[in-house]
Amino acid sequence: MSPNEDRKIREKFKQKTWNEIRTNDSWAIFKIMAEFVEGFERLGKIGPCVSIFGSARTKEGEAYYELAENIAYELTQHGYGVVTGGGPGIMEAGNRGAARGKGTSVGLNIELPFEQHDNPYIDSDKSLDFDYFFVRKVMFVKYSQGFVVMPGGFGTLDELFEAITLIQTKKIGKFPIVLVGRKFWSGLIEWIKNTMLTEGNISENDLDLISIVDTKDEVLDVINTFYKKYSLSPNF
């Protein structure tokens, strides 16, 4: 364990003085508020966008990288912008495809001790940096009209289940959630069906919140079909 990790654990057991609370915890509110204000002001006019989630570790040339780039490109050709986490891997592929399609390309970057760095395919005025994961996740769900989830790790699962939970609890609209890669996601979906549903922790209707596909055409079909029901389409 690194000295920094050790310090963070020990600090949780330390009884803070009133002065420490005021100078550290209370003042953090203003940093959080500043991140919300900047996010709301800069993203409020980006227009219809789809968030693409996925692993930062996926390399250029790998199948899912190429697929994510092509999905993003096709989204821009149908009038959607693309929002990603702003970093490497699937995020870079998403922004790269959006840039190739001359569409809106947004990056919501988070400062991490590893993996994360800005990719070069984000619109210069649409790159935001966050210290707080929860503020960043608010921006993802507030300014997205759909979610495309590529294979990824814990962060991808966090973003996926955040979107599902908010839709399930009717905190946001029932926007389409599309999982890409049946082979990758099938084990998770089977566990949700055979364990969560069987135990009564979710309802049968909750399974309808998710679509699972393999191709870019299927992704576009899910999103376009959903919005046709409401006679809605992006503005070109």
Side-chain angles (χ1 to χ4, degrees):
M1 183 180 295
S2 70
N4 188 49
E5 291 172 327
D6 182 74
R7 176 184 58 78
K8 288 180 179 180
I9 291 172
R10 293 182 182 279
E11 280 182 351
K12 293 299 181 182
F13 289 84
K14 179 184 175 182
Q15 183 65 44
K16 294 182 180 179
T17 66
W18 175 240
N19 188 56
E20 287 175 322
I21 293 172
R22 291 184 63 188
T23 56
N24 295 321
D25 295 351
S26 296
W27 280 96
I29 293 171
F30 296 100
K31 169 61 174 172
I32 294 167
M33 185 185 303
E35 290 197 358
F36 273 121
V37 170
E38 182 180 14
F40 292 159
E41 290 184 347
R42 293 181 62 186
L43 298 178
K45 297 182 179 180
I46 61 174
C49 284
V50 173
S51 283
I52 297 180
F53 302 141
S55 176
R57 305 185 187 194
T58 305
K59 301 292 190 296
E60 180 180 357
E62 293 181 0
Y64 284 123
Y65 184 105
E66 302 300 323
L67 181 55
E69 181 180 345
N70 289 329
I71 289 170
Y73 173 83
E74 291 297 331
L75 285 168
T76 64
Q77 303 311 291
H78 286 76
Y80 294 96
V82 171
V83 181
T84 81
I90 294 297
M91 296 173 281
E92 177 183 288
N95 290 127
R96 187 174 188 170
R100 178 161 62 91
K102 301 188 183 338
T104 298
S105 181
V106 181
L108 309 180
N109 198 39
I110 187 79
E111 292 191 15
L112 297 176
F114 55 88
E115 291 180 357
Q116 190 77 1
H117 57 78
D118 288 341
N119 70 67
Y121 301 103
I122 304 166
D123 294 342
S124 59
D125 61 335
K126 296 180 178 65
S127 176
L128 287 83
D129 295 314
F130 296 92
D131 285 326
Y132 299 96
F133 268 111
F134 67 90
V135 178
R136 181 184 186 231
K137 287 195 291 184
V138 167
M139 302 304 155
F140 274 126
V141 298
K142 184 175 178 61
Y143 296 107
S144 295
Q145 283 72 46
F147 305 93
V148 174
V149 190
M150 306 294 296
F154 291 143
T156 301
L157 292 177
D158 179 37
E159 292 157 347
L160 166 62
F161 283 107
E162 175 85 2
I164 294 174
T165 300
L166 291 172
I167 292 172
Q168 180 204 45
T169 56
K170 303 186 187 305
K171 295 297 183 181
I172 63 173
K174 189 182 176 183
F175 299 116
I177 298 175
V178 188
L179 306 186
V180 181
R182 287 186 175 92
K183 181 179 179 181
F184 182 88
W185 293 109
S186 61
L188 174 64
I189 299 304
E190 287 304 309
W191 177 79
I192 290 173
K193 291 179 178 177
N194 297 332
T195 302
M196 293 180 73
L197 181 59
T198 301
E199 294 288 335
N201 295 316
I202 62 172
S203 67
E204 188 80 34
N205 292 337
D206 291 332
L207 298 174
D208 296 333
L209 301 177
I210 307 169
S211 300
I212 308 175
V213 305
D214 281 318
T215 68
K216 69 178 188 303
D217 291 337
E218 290 176 301
V219 172
L220 268 295
D221 184 61
V222 170
I223 293 174
N224 288 334
T225 298
F226 179 85
Y227 283 107
K228 282 179 182 176
K229 291 190 303 184
Y230 298 94
S231 298
L232 295 171
S233 63
N235 297 317
F236 284 88

